[in-house]
Amino acid sequence: MRPVDVAHLGVRTSHIDYENRVVARATLTGHIDGVAAVVFRPDGTVLATVCRDRTARLWDVRSPYTPRPLGILEGHTDWIRGVAFSPDGIALATTSGDKAVRLWDVRSPNRPQQLAALKGHSAWVWGVAFSPDGTTLATAGGDNIVRLWRAAEGG
């Protein structure tokens, strides 16, 4: 099969060779149950993972062949389902079956600090996203509600 030209789609590479296989660079271990979601910090240097073990973990992925663990975020009382970095990479939001959204200061990924626990959903909180300017946090819950929060100072 020939490489396909995708330059007109805005893809950074001019060709994708579909004959080449995607190969795993590394395996990150540490969670003790199923991993539910992953997200890169906007600068690409840190990966956040969330899990059924009620923890979020931060990983240094500057060298994708040799990632290393950084901080562990604990505080949720049910498994974590969603995760999002703020556009500036300073804050991380996690959502959980405990009906809470937690905001974390991750400027020092080795020592993340909880900023706030946002409550308002009456069921599991599934998804989370920051607005492009970082001022609003959107959460999606099993209560059939999407909530918008002021992201600065915990809402």
Side-chain angles (χ1 to χ4, degrees):
M1 183 177 263
R2 296 180 3 175
V4 177
D5 184 359
V6 293
H8 66 284
L9 299 175
V11 177
R12 289 186 184 192
T13 182
S14 61
H15 291 87
I16 296 175
D17 186 348
Y18 290 104
E19 289 183 7
N20 289 331
R21 302 271 185 224
V22 176
V23 178
R25 292 180 170 184
T27 301
L28 289 77
T29 59
H31 286 294
I32 58 172
D33 208 337
V35 177
V38 298
V39 66
F40 282 98
R41 189 162 72 179
D43 68 7
T45 63
V46 175
L47 180 74
T49 60
V50 297
C51 181
R52 291 178 57 107
D53 66 9
R54 300 184 310 263
T55 67
R57 292 176 181 260
L58 300 174
W59 308 86
D60 179 341
V61 292
R62 287 177 291 183
S63 175
Y65 293 100
T66 57
R68 62 182 185 85
L70 296 169
I72 299 175
L73 296 74
E74 297 177 300
H76 283 290
T77 59
D78 201 341
W79 66 287
I80 305 175
R81 299 171 180 275
V83 61
F85 272 104
S86 61
D88 60 11
I90 290 173
L92 186 78
T94 55
T95 65
S96 172
D98 64 9
K99 306 174 192 171
V101 179
R102 295 188 187 273
L103 290 178
W104 309 87
D105 180 337
V106 293
R107 281 180 278 208
S108 297
N110 286 314
R111 294 181 305 283
Q113 300 293 317
Q114 184 175 308
L115 297 172
L118 308 176
K119 304 213 179 211
H121 284 281
S122 62
W124 292 349
V125 188
W126 294 94
V128 61
F130 280 91
S131 62
D133 67 2
T135 62
T136 303
L137 186 70
T139 58
D143 54 6
N144 305 326
I145 293 174
V146 173
R147 292 195 180 278
L148 299 178
W149 310 82
R150 185 171 55 90
E153 301 174 10

